[in-house]
Amino acid sequence: MEQTFYASFFLTPTQEAASLVYLPRSFYCIFMTASQIIIDSWNLCKKNAKAFVPYIGALLGVSILTLITDILIGPVDTFDQLIKGLPFVILAALFSLVGLWISLGMITAVASIKKAGSAKPIRTVLTYNAKFLWPVILASILTGLAIGGGFLLLVVPAIIFSVWLTFTTHAILLDNKKVVESLKYSKSLVDGRWWEVLWLILAPTLAFVAPMILIDKLGIWLIKVITELSIAAAAIGAAVWSINIVTALLILLISPLSSAALTLLYLHLQERK
């Protein structure tokens, strides 16, 4: 149904438009699909904001604990410092694992809302997703090795592999694929439409990350102005901390949108397979 809509939308362009634009019709279909994914992601998160609040709150808590742990670890310049800070390093790794677990929950929530119209409570989702945590980690390691191997050859193979293997986590989480099977399945979704999928990944990412980039640039400019005015180092430190906090909060707020965009794309590619 959706594919038919995108195709029929541009089947009969006016003669004037055709004379001005010489790009293939497939380009317009891809552009419309990207726009629709961005709009659908926004609407899904907006209409179901309450469902994502627990995930954002949980990620915020994990981020704060990770920050405190990083401060406690401090600089590690010697082996003795590493040994003393090892418990905190292990703690930081556990927090990262918990953060991944929560992020997987958002993917499940998006898919549930898309398919069933609502999401289950976060506790139910996280309990269900616990069995997928290690397969996802293993698949991520294999994906990283493949992309890293691509970089050893040339940059281009690494980019190709990264697009091929984008949906391994979704395949494990939403379709109960095994680790190696998820890699093959992700590639099968991309085969024959690599450029299209690349654009459909990049477009929502750029759309949702743009505000964060703007604030970051403004922050860099503000720090430069403060430095040029020879304002106290404490003021510079406060500005840096403020920018980091705002950026971190934006990342948390954007995380449901990013999860929604990639998950909706995964479901869209499945429908077209």
Side-chain angles (χ1 to χ4, degrees), residues 25-219:
R25 289 174 184 171
S26 59
F27 173 85
Y28 298 107
C29 296
I30 292 171
F31 178 77
M32 286 300 296
T33 306
S35 301
Q36 198 62 46
I37 287 174
I38 293 170
I39 294 169
D40 288 350
S41 300
W42 175 263
N43 289 335
L44 186 146
C45 292
K46 182 180 178 182
K47 292 178 181 178
N48 301 275
K50 290 183 179 179
F52 294 106
V53 168
Y55 293 97
I56 295 174
L59 286 174
L60 177 61
V62 171
S63 299
I64 292 172
L65 290 174
T66 302
L67 178 62
I68 294 172
T69 304
D70 288 341
I71 293 173
L72 292 175
I73 293 174
V76 179
D77 299 323
T78 65
F79 182 75
D80 289 339
Q81 289 177 335
L82 176 62
I83 296 300
K84 290 179 180 178
L86 189 58
F88 297 112
V89 172
I90 295 173
L91 199 59
L94 289 175
F95 289 148
S96 298
L97 192 63
V98 173
L100 172 62
W101 189 18
I102 297 168
S103 298
L104 296 180
M106 278 198 287
I107 294 175
T108 303
V110 170
S112 179
I113 292 169
K114 179 65 177 177
K115 294 179 178 180
S118 62
K120 294 180 180 180
I122 184 172
R123 182 179 296 180
T124 303
V125 173
L126 294 183
T127 301
Y128 175 77
N129 281 354
K131 62 183 179 181
F132 297 117
L133 194 55
W134 294 115
V136 166
I137 291 173
L138 182 55
S140 299
I141 292 172
L142 293 178
T143 299
L145 290 174
I147 295 172
F151 273 115
L152 292 177
L153 298 173
L154 282 173
V155 175
V156 174
I159 297 174
I160 293 174
F161 293 155
S162 64
V163 176
W164 275 347
L165 305 177
T166 295
F167 305 104
T168 54
T169 295
H170 294 79
I172 293 171
L173 207 57
L174 304 181
D175 291 294
N176 203 20
K177 302 290 185 183
K178 302 299 182 183
V179 174
V180 176
E181 187 183 6
S182 70
L183 303 178
K184 296 177 180 178
Y185 187 72
S186 178
K187 182 179 179 297
S188 72
L189 293 176
V190 181
D191 279 344
R193 46 193 172 190
W194 189 91
W195 286 105
E196 176 184 354
V197 174
L198 175 63
W199 167 244
L200 294 178
I201 293 171
L202 288 178
T205 302
L206 293 173
F208 297 142
V209 172
M212 190 171 63
I213 295 175
L214 178 61
I215 290 178
D216 186 59
K217 295 296 183 183
L218 288 173

Side-chain angles (χ1 to χ4, degrees), residues 8-29:
S8 62
F9 190 85
F10 292 103
L11 282 178
T12 56
T14 63
Q15 185 173 2
E16 180 182 2
S19 65
L20 293 174
V21 182
Y22 295 95
L23 294 172
R25 289 174 184 171
S26 59
F27 173 85
Y28 298 107
C29 296

